Amino acid sequence: MPPFARFTILRTGVACLALLLAGASAAAFDLQGHRGARGLSPENTLPAFEKALRTGVATLELDIGMTSDGVLVVSHDPKLNPDITRGPDGTFLAGPGKALTAMTLEELRSFDVGRTRPDSRTAKSFPEQTPVDGTRIPTLEDVFALAERLGAKDVRFNIETKSSPAPDAGTPEPRAFATALAKAIDKAGLGERATVQSFDWRTLMALKEVSPDIPRVCLTSEGNFDTLQRGKDGGSPWLGGLDVDDFDSVPALVTEAGCTTWSPNFRNLTQPLVEEAQEMELAVVPWTVNETDDMARLIDWGVDGLITDYPDRARTVMAAKGLPLPAPVAP
């Protein structure tokens, strides 16, 4: 073989290896756009998901509920949220609206979720959010179709089942919910690009039975919203029959639940917990991290990803830390 040919092959091989390593590194840090990009566009809407994709994320994080006619729709709240919902007459709801489970998709489509009520806590929390009037609550299928249409062939979907063990929650029955979601993921051919997360681990355990190959993400929260409920007689109803007091740590609890990823409230996380979870082969992806100082600290701790309302801020921090950035979808 002539020397120039050997050099060409070597150079090509090195280039290919570099690309492979770069791709592996990029995949190693999971930048997730929370509810699309809630800090920039109306939450859980097609404009928010497009904004996240145009900004550049590895994963779209989204919430789902179910209508009375069995359609999976993308919404954080089990009832229409008056801070972000206007009726057909264009005025914001006076109070919490009907439960999603009490409305058909056609009924739900009559509401506008394209801007926040100006005097609401939501509006004050997200002053950079750009309204998009006329925006409707999308179906899960709509979100899958958007990513396909925009050519986002590698983006992943982290889908949260908005379920609650409270008897008056008005959320879908866990097994029916998990079954419907598994069917939707399979129909879209996204089994290798989807994870399912929940605070209500009953849905995760049902999903394990219905479709064990779909990776599951255990969400946890301690504080005002406490899903672990340490010391509670009989354990927390959020944990699907497990009791945190039976385990040495939360990562051990998550491992027993069969999740591959632990997503805690970032305020509940410590570096030793990150290290312990990763020693148990759990990925650690905290929520919802919006301030750059917090992002930088968590990256330094070695977390596997971040869920954030501001993927643009996270990209700036990632770049400063030398992490490869997910490619934005081209206009």
Side-chain angles (χ1 to χ4, degrees):
M1 181 182 295
F4 76 87
R6 289 196 296 270
F7 173 76
T8 300
I9 291 171
L10 177 61
R11 183 175 62 181
T12 302
V14 169
C16 290
L17 179 60
L19 287 172
L20 287 171
L21 291 174
S25 298
F29 193 84
D30 188 9
L31 173 56
Q32 299 195 18
H34 184 235
R35 307 187 198 180
R38 179 170 59 158
L40 308 173
S41 295
E43 66 175 68
N44 278 322
T45 65
L46 295 184
F49 297 122
E50 180 167 356
K51 181 66 175 178
L53 292 172
R54 300 291 190 198
T55 302
V57 297
T59 300
L60 294 176
E61 192 274 352
L62 59 145
D63 308 291
I64 61 166
M66 186 185 292
T67 62
S68 63
D69 46 349
V71 180
L72 294 175
V73 292
V74 182
S75 176
H76 176 268
D77 303 291
K79 296 181 179 180
L80 292 174
N81 182 345
D83 284 355
I84 61 172
T85 310
R86 287 173 288 165
D89 62 356
T91 61
F92 284 96
L93 301 184
K98 293 174 66 176
L100 304 186
T101 52
M103 288 183 287
T104 65
L105 178 61
E106 183 178 358
E107 290 177 280
L108 195 62
R109 293 284 203 193
S110 67
F111 294 93
D112 189 331
V113 292
R115 69 169 57 232
T116 58
R117 184 192 300 272
D119 61 347
S120 68
R121 181 179 177 182
T122 301
K124 295 172 184 176
S125 297
F126 302 106
E128 298 174 43
Q129 190 182 99
T130 301
V132 186
D133 292 327
T135 298
R136 310 300 172 183
I137 292 176
T139 65
L140 179 59
E141 190 173 277
D142 290 336
V143 178
F144 291 159
L146 173 72
E148 179 73 18
R149 185 168 67 252
L150 294 180
K153 303 294 187 182
D154 297 321
V155 73
R156 298 183 58 81
F157 302 87
N158 187 20
I159 306 165
E160 180 179 345
T161 55
K162 296 310 293 186
S163 176
S164 170
D168 58 349
T171 56
E173 188 276 326
R175 189 175 184 85
F177 206 178
T179 300
L181 179 53
K183 287 181 178 177
I185 292 171
D186 181 65
K187 180 182 177 182
L190 292 172
E192 295 184 356
R193 289 167 52 198
T195 54
V196 175
Q197 65 177 1
S198 193
F199 290 106
D200 187 352
W201 295 7
R202 297 177 306 160
T203 60
L204 300 179
M205 292 177 178
L207 183 69
K208 182 179 180 180
E209 296 179 3
V210 171
S211 188
D213 292 336
I214 297 176
R216 298 172 300 281
V217 180
C218 283
L219 286 165
T220 61
S221 180
E222 299 176 74
N224 292 333
F225 174 44
D226 184 3
T227 61
L228 297 180
Q229 299 184 20
R230 300 175 191 272
K232 179 181 173 62
D233 187 28
S236 168
W238 292 94
L239 304 182
L242 297 176
D243 188 338
V244 66
D245 296 322
D246 293 337
F247 298 86
D248 293 334
S249 66
V250 178
L253 169 72
V254 170
T255 299
E256 178 64 24
C259 289
T260 56
T261 300
W262 175 36
S263 280
N265 183 325
F266 82 93
R267 295 180 179 86
N268 303 146
L269 198 56
T270 64
Q271 187 169 11
L273 280 173
V274 173
E275 294 169 355
E276 179 186 351
Q278 291 172 340
E279 287 173 1
M280 296 180 178
E281 300 186 348
L282 293 172
V284 181
V285 183
W287 61 270
T288 300
V289 193
N290 288 339
E291 301 302 325
T292 56
D293 287 349
D294 294 324
M295 294 173 182
R297 183 182 71 256
L298 290 162
I299 289 172
D300 287 344
W301 286 357
V303 297
D304 298 283
L306 297 172
I307 301 174
T308 178
D309 293 316
Y310 296 96
D312 54 337
R313 297 179 187 176
R315 287 175 64 88
T316 299
V317 176
M318 288 171 63
K321 297 290 185 181
L323 294 175
L325 301 177
V329 170

